[in-house]
């Protein structure tokens, strides 16, 4: 046990104020000792005292001591004197003292001299002294040399960035990571400290080193890498770190992560901070958020802020906002502004507006500009434009271009041409692309193609024997589930073939109610077989009125059986008109027989 007043308090850690006071006292003692030695003519003490005063910012006090020590041959003093003179604006004299120190072997002076020459545009001299500094083991010299080499596009930048990074230079670590990630590091290799690493893995390690030392852009890049590979939680932590340090792009990225997590309010707050720091992407995100809430004036204000920040998406988004409000005239103005600035989707939107107005000649150049800039929708729209003019070959070329970029409708159009020309393998590939992209028409055509290929190979199954895992069956089902009428009819036929009358009726009814003549006709047949002739007649009438010849013939036969000969003749005439040929022939014979019956 300690007795009161035994000095225990002196063993407690000092607080910050006490520590600062102790440091000042220690420095004062050191300074006093240096002064006494310097006054006695000690060159090393003059140099040390000058350096101490220089660090403190006392240039007037430091200069005479540094000049005396430098004149006596102290290279550290010569280097520090160069630093002092550079701060005073005497660059040429500073360079002279740095040269003296560098020649005497000071790596720090060689670094300073190299930077001095680079500021003056003398890159050969800059490289000579920076290389001298770097090869002497000076971290800042290695970084400055790498920066110069990268600026000039010379080889070797990666090596020196790596040297500086390995010695703790955070900017060098960040720049090395960017170089590795971009594939520009000629010295990329597996680093023993990390084992066998891929290019991206090594870049990540250097980003981590720089970010851990407080480099906010490294933290941003590390967050982006982690987000790309799905590690959202850690990505968010690095974005937050960079955002708190004032990195607007990190604040914007953090906002998107929060929005995706369902926290719109926090997302909006980070976007607001980023937008106020000049991030146009964040301003656009805020605009979209307010637009979704119906707060259109606030949305437009943020879109304008994005545009003021240099983000042309702001103009495009204002155009979309105007279009949604029915203000096409104002929308066109904003689309034009964005399109002239090179915004490809704005150019496509402008072309669509012009086309809707009947100005196809005005629309085409904008479609072309957008397509050449990489707009897949514009390439597809050019296909439609040329197809409408009858220029099928040109249309097909644009459809192919859009299809190659994954455009669903374009892939379908290309496949239709390939089916017509018998290029079945290529057609199947494009149909799979379009069907996978959600096109019900492509799904139906793919199922039909697979059906026909199986039949041609002698592997076709009777409709009632189709297993559920038959691929064509799966595509028919997908198309039917998306409301494709012909697919619904086909699924009804399969169900009827296996004796499932209830499912067949449901499938036919869904197709018929969506406007399918074949669905209505087949539903009528099913109902007639089940004894519901009056309801069957209603569906046949709907099919016949929609242009189904067989339905008209069925109605003619029904009318004839109940003795309504004039009505039967009318339906016969309709069947003759609609066809197909065998139906028209039967209907004509029936009509002749009815005429004979009426005239008898």
């Amino acid at each position: 046990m300690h007795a009161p007043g035994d000095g225990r308090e002196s063993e407690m850690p000092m607080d910050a104020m006490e520590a600062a006071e102790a440091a000042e006292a220690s420095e004062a003692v050191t300074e006093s000792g240096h002064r006494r030695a310097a006054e006695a003519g000690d060159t090393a003490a003059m140099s040390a005292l000058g350096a101490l005063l220089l660090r403190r910012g006392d240039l007037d006090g430091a200069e005479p001591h540094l000049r005396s020590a430098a004149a006596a041959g102290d290279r550290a003093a010569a280097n520090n004197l160069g630093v002092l003179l550079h701060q005073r604006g005497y660059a040429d004299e500073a360079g002279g003292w740095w040269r003296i120190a560098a020649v005497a072997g000071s790596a720090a002076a060689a670094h300073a001299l190299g930077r001095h020459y680079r500021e003056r545009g003398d890159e050969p001299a800059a490289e000579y002294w920076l290389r001298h500094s770097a090869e002497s083991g000076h971290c800042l010299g290695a970084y400055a040399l790498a920066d110069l080499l990268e600026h000039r596009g010379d080889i070797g930048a990666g090596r020196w960035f790596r040297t500086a990074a390995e010695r703790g230079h955070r900017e060098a670590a960040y720049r090395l990571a960017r170089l590795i990630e971009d594939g520009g590091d000629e010295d990329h290799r597996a680093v023993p400290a990390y084992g066998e690493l891929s290019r991206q893995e090594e870049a990540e390690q250097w980003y981590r080193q720089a970010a851990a030392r407080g480099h906010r852009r490294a933290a941003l890049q590390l967050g982006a890498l982690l987000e790309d590979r799905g590690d959202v939680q850690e990505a968010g932590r690095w974005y937050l770190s960079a955002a708190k340090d004032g990195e607007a792009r990190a604040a914007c990225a953090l906002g998107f992560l929060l929005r995706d997590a369902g926290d719109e309010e926090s997302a909006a707050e980070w976007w607001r901070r980023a937008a106020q720091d000049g991030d146009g992407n964040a301003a656009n995100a805020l605009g979209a958020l307010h637009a979704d809430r119906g707060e259109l004036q606030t949305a437009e204000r943020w879109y304008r802020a994005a545009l003021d920040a240099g983000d042309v998406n702001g103009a495009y988004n204002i155009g979309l906002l105007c279009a949604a409000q029915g203000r096409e005239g104002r929308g066109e103005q904003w689309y034009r502004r964005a399109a002239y600035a090179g915004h490809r989707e704005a150019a496509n939107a402008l072309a669509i507006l012009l086309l809707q107005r009947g100005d196809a000649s005005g629309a085409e150049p904008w479609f072309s500009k957008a397509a050449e800039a990489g707009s897949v929708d514009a390439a597809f729209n050019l296909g439609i434009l040329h197809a409408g003019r009858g220029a099928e070959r040109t249309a097909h070329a644009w459809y192919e271009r859009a299809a190659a970029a994954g455009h669903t409708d374009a892939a379908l159009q290309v496949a239709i041409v390939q089916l017509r020309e018998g290029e079945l393998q290529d057609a199947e590939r494009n149909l799979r692309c379009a069907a996978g992209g959600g096109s019900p028409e492509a799904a139906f055509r793919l199922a039909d193609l697979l059906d026909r290929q199986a039949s041609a190979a002698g592997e076709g199954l009777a409709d009632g024997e189709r297993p559920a895992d038959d691929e064509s069956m799966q595509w028919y089902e997908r198309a039917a589930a998306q409301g494709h009428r012909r697919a619904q009819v086909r699924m009804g036929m399969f169900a009827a073939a296996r004796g499932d009358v209830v499912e067949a009726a449901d499938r036919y009814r869904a197709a018929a109610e969506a406007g399918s003549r074949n669905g209505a006709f087949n539903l009528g047949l099913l109902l007639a077989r089940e004894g519901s002739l009056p309801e069957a007649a209603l569906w046949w009438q709907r099919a016949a009125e929609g242009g189904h010849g067989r339905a008209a013939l069925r109605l003619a036969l029904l009318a004839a059986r109940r003795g309504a000969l004039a009505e039967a003749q009318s339906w016969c005439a309709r069947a003759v008109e609609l066809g197909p040929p065998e139906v028209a022939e039967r209907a004509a014979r029936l009509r002749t027989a009815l005429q004979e019956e009426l005239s008898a």
Side-chain angles (χ1 to χ4, degrees), residues 182-488:
D182 295 340
D185 177 26
E186 73 287 343
D187 194 39
H188 170 72
R189 63 188 185 280
V191 182
Y194 303 123
E196 294 293 324
L197 298 180
S198 69
R199 187 175 289 279
Q200 185 167 344
E201 288 169 338
E202 189 186 353
E204 181 183 331
Q205 294 290 357
W206 289 114
Y207 281 136
R208 283 188 182 278
Q209 284 203 24
R213 293 186 173 100
H215 195 291
R216 67 189 194 188
R217 284 175 297 158
L220 169 65
Q221 292 298 126
L222 178 57
L225 277 178
L226 293 165
E227 184 181 0
D228 284 345
R229 73 163 181 245
D231 194 344
V232 176
Q233 282 192 325
E234 190 182 358
R237 288 196 295 273
W238 287 111
Y239 284 148
L240 179 60
S241 171
K244 285 181 175 178
D245 286 339
E247 180 59 55
R249 290 173 297 168
C252 180
L254 180 59
F256 282 111
L257 284 189
L258 290 165
R259 182 205 59 186
D260 293 344
D263 189 353
E264 275 193 358
E265 292 308 314
S266 296
E269 181 55 35
W270 283 107
W271 282 333
R272 192 170 292 108
R273 287 174 62 167
Q276 287 167 350
D277 285 340
D279 191 286
N281 193 25
N284 274 315
L286 276 171
L289 184 67
H290 288 288
D292 288 344
R293 293 173 177 174
E295 300 162 355
L296 303 187
Q297 286 186 328
T298 307
E300 184 170 340
R301 179 166 59 83
W302 282 112
Y303 288 147
R304 286 179 183 273
L307 187 57
D308 291 342
D311 191 331
V312 74
N313 277 311
Y316 174 60
N317 287 331
I318 296 174
L320 292 176
L321 206 60
C322 291
Q325 295 172 289
R327 298 182 293 162
E328 282 79 7
R330 284 203 65 206
E332 180 180 340
Q333 161 197 340
W334 289 105
Y335 287 148
R336 280 189 184 277
R337 183 167 176 177
Y340 277 119
H343 194 290
R344 66 191 188 190
E345 298 310 328
N348 182 55
L350 175 59
I352 291 171
L353 270 184
L354 294 170
L355 195 61
Q356 289 171 343
R357 256 194 345 236
D359 186 3
S361 60
E364 185 176 351
W366 287 111
F367 277 139
S368 296
K369 185 174 182 179
E372 293 298 342
S375 171
V376 181
D377 287 336
F380 176 67
N381 289 334
L382 273 172
I384 295 174
L385 191 67
H386 287 290
R389 295 172 177 169
E392 295 295 336
R393 182 170 295 181
T394 306
H396 186 66
W398 282 111
Y399 285 145
E400 283 188 320
R401 184 166 175 172
H407 195 286
T408 297
D409 293 331
L412 173 60
Q413 293 301 320
V414 171
I416 288 171
V417 173
Q418 290 168 335
L419 285 171
R420 189 168 63 234
E421 295 179 355
E423 300 169 3
L424 301 187
Q425 189 172 357
D426 289 336
E428 181 181 338
R429 175 173 49 81
N430 279 301
L431 286 174
R432 287 186 183 279
C433 172
S439 169
E441 178 65 23
F444 174 77
R445 287 177 179 266
L446 175 59
D448 184 64
L449 176 61
L450 294 172
D451 241 354
R452 287 188 283 114
Q453 287 176 334
S455 297
E459 299 170 358
L461 297 170
D463 290 343
E465 299 172 348
R466 291 172 178 273
D469 61 353
D470 177 58
E471 189 182 6
S472 64
M473 189 77 161
Q474 291 173 355
W475 287 112
Y476 281 133
E477 179 60 58
R478 182 182 294 196
Q482 292 175 282
H484 192 280
R485 296 179 302 184
R486 292 170 67 194
Q488 288 167 335

